[in-house]
Amino acid sequence: MTMHQSLKQQAIDILRMNDRGGYTVPTARLYPYQWEWDSVFAALGFATFDRDRAWEEIETLFSGQWDDGMVPHIIFHKTDPDYFPGPEMWKSNTVPPSSGHSQPPVAASAMLTMMQTGTDMDRERAKALFHKLYAWHRWFHTYRDPDNTGVVGIIHPWESGRDNCPDWDIGMGRIVVPDDLGDLPRRDITHVDPSERPTAEQYNRYLAIVKFGHECQWDHLEIARNGPFFMVDPCVQFALMRGDRDLAELATEFGEPGIRDEAEAWLKHSKAGCDSFWSDDVGGHVAKDLRTGGLSTAFTNASAMALYADAGSPDQQKRLTAEIAAILDHCSFGFPSWDPRDAQFESRRYWRGPIWSVVNYMIGIGLSEKGETALAERLRNDTRRAVETSGFFEYFDPLTGEGLGGKLFTWTAAIHLAWAM
Ligand code: 9YW
C-alpha cells in the first residue's frame, strides 16, 4: 500500500471509530460529545465514502437545535464523566442536553458543497434541513447582532472555536471571577499535556461566563447586552458571511426567494460591517472587544479567512493576501493560529500558535477562489504534510509539524479526505 492509500484508509477508520451512532466525537475520551463545527467537517469527510452517514451527522446535529434557532456548540447525547464542563454546569434544560452558546456556523457551506457534488438524495436531505438552517442563521443575526450593526459578536471565547487565542485576552482580562465559583474539576489536563492547554486562570473566566448565562436562563439578548464578554470574532463573522452566501444559493435552489433576499441583505450589511474590525497596523481583520472598542494586535488564521467570505475592499484584500504569503514563509505545515513574528506566539499552546487543518481548509478555498492558486496549493500540501509527518492529531506545531493535543482526531481525518489528500 502506498503512503497515500494508507493515510486515506486510516482517515476513514478514524471517522468510523469515532462514530457513536449518528454522530461522531472529535476524539475518544478528551471530547466525548458532539461538537458543532467538528460534526459539520466530519460530514464533509464522510461524504467522500458514505453519503448517507454524512447527512446523518448533520441531521443529528440539528436534533439539538434550540427552539429559538440556535445550534449549540456541544450536544451531550450521553453523559460522560470524562469531560468538564458537562451538562450540569451549563444548566440549559434542553433535550438533548446541550451547551448554552453556538460555534462557527459552517453547515450551510458544507451542505451546499455536499449537494453540488451529490445526487438527488443529497438534494432531498439538504432540502429537509433547509428551514432549520435558515432559523440558525436568523438566530445569529438577531441575538449576536441585536443592534443590527452588520457585525456579530460572540459571548464566550468557546463560541469562536478558537478557545484560548490571544485575541480574547482583551475581553477575558475584564472578566471578574465570582468568589463562589469553587474549584473546577478540569478533566482536559488529565488527558493531554497541561502546557498545551489553557491555563487555570483562563478556565475560571470561561466558567464565570457560563455562570452568567445559566443565571439568566440563557437569555441571549441579556447576555449580548450585559454579559461579561462580547467580542467580534473574524472566524465566526466570516463563516456566517460565507454561510449566508451559501444559504442564499440553497434558497434559490429550493424556490425560496424570500429567504434568498433576506440572506443576501444580511450579507451586504455584514460586508459593510467588516470595516469596523479592520486593523491597518496588522494588515487584516482582527478580533474586537465590542464593550470597549479595543482591537486585537496580530494576524491570525481567522484573519486569513477574509477571502473565504469575500470580505474587505480590493486594497484590503491585496494587503491581507500579502500578510498570508509572508506568514506562510515562516511555517512549513499550514497557517498558524497566531502570527509567528509576534512576541506572543507559542508554537505548541492550542490556539496561540498551532495549526488547525479545518481553518487551513477554509483559508485555502478563499485563496483559490481569489485566483491565488499557488498559495492555496501550498497550504493544501502543507496540511497534508503535517499529517504525513505526525499522523491525525488535533493540531500541529507550525514550525516542526509535531502533532499535538488529541490523537486520531475526527476533523483532521475529515479534512484530509475532503481536501488535503
Ligand atoms: C475544549 C472539539 C473542540 C473544538 C474547538 C476546540 C476544542 C473544546 O475542541 O474546544 O474543551 O476546549 O477549541 O474548536 O470544536 O474538537
Side-chain angles (χ1 to χ4, degrees):
M1 219 195 254
T2 63
M3 185 185 212
H4 170 87
Q5 286 166 332
S6 132
L7 285 176
K8 180 178 173 188
Q9 193 53 50
Q10 275 179 52
I12 293 173
D13 292 347
I14 289 170
L15 292 190
R16 294 279 192 218
M17 193 178 63
N18 290 339
D19 186 348
R20 294 292 177 273
Y23 70 95
T24 47
V25 296
T27 184
R29 306 214 50 213
L30 178 63
Y31 302 133
Y33 297 113
Q34 182 174 26
W35 262 260
E36 182 268 310
W37 68 332
D38 297 68
S39 255
V40 173
F41 291 116
L44 284 175
F46 275 120
T48 65
F49 64 95
D50 185 343
R51 310 290 296 195
D52 179 55
R53 183 60 190 77
W55 284 106
E56 196 185 9
E57 186 78 26
I58 300 185
E59 287 154 4
T60 309
L61 179 67
F62 276 102
S63 76
Q65 184 169 37
W66 287 22
D67 290 345
D68 62 7
M70 183 181 87
V71 176
H73 99 294
I74 309 177
I75 307 176
F76 304 107
H77 293 286
K78 283 178 240 158
T79 310
D80 189 321
D82 253 345
Y83 185 79
F84 176 85
E88 70 292 343
M89 294 300 290
W90 293 94
K91 301 183 177 62
S92 64
N93 292 322
T94 54
V95 182
S98 57
S99 64
H101 57 67
S102 200
Q103 245 189 345
V106 287
S109 305
M111 284 165 59
L112 182 64
T113 301
M114 282 159 60
M115 197 176 89
Q116 285 170 337
T117 54
T119 62
D120 285 353
M121 184 279 276
D122 296 87
R123 188 189 161 81
E124 287 315 307
R125 305 280 281 265
K127 195 172 178 188
L129 291 172
F130 176 74
H131 281 95
K132 294 182 178 188
L133 180 68
Y134 161 61
W136 186 21
H137 282 229
R138 199 185 43 212
W139 176 87
F140 255 108
H141 291 286
T142 309
Y143 293 98
R144 291 296 183 255
D145 182 16
D147 297 321
N148 198 24
T149 61
V151 174
V152 288
I154 55 166
I155 61 126
H156 196 300
W158 291 342
E159 195 158 54
S160 71
R162 305 185 298 121
D163 303 10
N164 68 331
C165 182
D167 272 353
W168 318 127
D169 292 358
I170 332 169
M172 286 278 279
R174 290 186 303 96
I175 295 176
V176 180
V177 177
D179 295 336
D180 59 350
L181 201 59
D183 280 339
L184 304 179
R186 281 179 72 178
R187 303 290 305 172
D188 55 327
I189 44 181
T190 65
H191 300 305
V192 292
D193 182 348
S195 73
E196 295 164 19
R197 295 286 306 177
T199 62
E201 180 54 35
Q202 278 166 344
Y203 242 81
N204 287 338
R205 291 172 195 227
Y206 293 152
L207 270 298
I209 310 175
V210 173
K211 187 167 187 286
F212 184 96
H214 71 68
E215 282 178 355
C216 71
Q217 279 88 46
W218 297 105
D219 171 344
H220 279 290
L221 286 181
E222 169 64 13
I223 302 171
R225 293 234 153 86
N226 301 313
F229 183 97
F230 200 43
M231 288 189 72
V232 177
D233 170 24
C235 172
V236 165
Q237 171 83 5
F238 294 154
L240 183 64
M241 287 169 66
R242 174 72 182 215
D244 282 337
R245 195 203 79 166
D246 295 342
L247 181 74
E249 198 161 332
L250 289 166
T252 305
E253 280 287 329
F254 300 144
E256 296 274 8
I259 298 180
R260 180 203 57 212
D261 292 351
E262 193 175 359
E264 284 174 352
W266 285 333
L267 181 56
K268 192 164 170 225
H269 196 38
S270 301
K271 279 197 176 183
C274 288
D275 240 7
S276 69
F277 60 101
W278 168 266
S279 162
D280 259 334
D281 293 342
V282 168
H285 301 88
V286 294
K288 177 180 176 179
D289 190 339
L290 286 165
R291 303 275 187 247
T292 63
L295 289 175
S296 184
T297 52
F299 204 95
T300 64
N301 51 357
S303 313
M305 282 171 57
L307 303 176
Y308 179 67
D310 197 17
S313 66
D315 278 353
Q316 287 171 341
Q317 289 191 353
K318 211 164 144 200
R319 172 93 200 271
L320 71 92
T321 305
E323 290 301 327
I324 293 175
I327 290 173
L328 277 179
D329 278 344
H330 282 75
C331 307
S332 310
F333 298 91
F335 205 88
S337 44
W338 189 257
D339 189 338
R341 301 165 299 181
D342 186 87
Q344 285 194 82
F345 171 77
E346 293 180 71
S347 68
R348 298 166 58 89
R349 198 187 282 276
Y350 218 37
W351 292 92
R352 301 181 85 90
I355 276 165
W356 298 75
S357 7
V358 289
V359 189
N360 284 348
Y361 162 77
M362 294 184 284
I363 301 170
I365 291 180
L367 283 167
S368 127
E369 286 175 356
K370 286 283 161 191
E372 296 291 342
T373 324
L375 284 177
E377 266 309 284
R378 177 163 158 198
L379 192 56
R380 202 168 73 86
N381 289 331
D382 287 357
T383 307
R384 181 178 56 249
R385 212 141 37 71
V387 164
E388 286 169 355
T389 305
S390 300
F392 294 94
F393 272 85
E394 183 177 8
Y395 51 98
F396 301 89
D397 183 318
L399 309 177
T400 64
E402 181 189 353
L404 300 165
K407 295 191 181 85
L408 308 174
F409 218 85
T410 294
W411 68 11
T412 311
I415 291 301
H416 184 77
L417 292 168
W419 180 64
M421 204 165 65

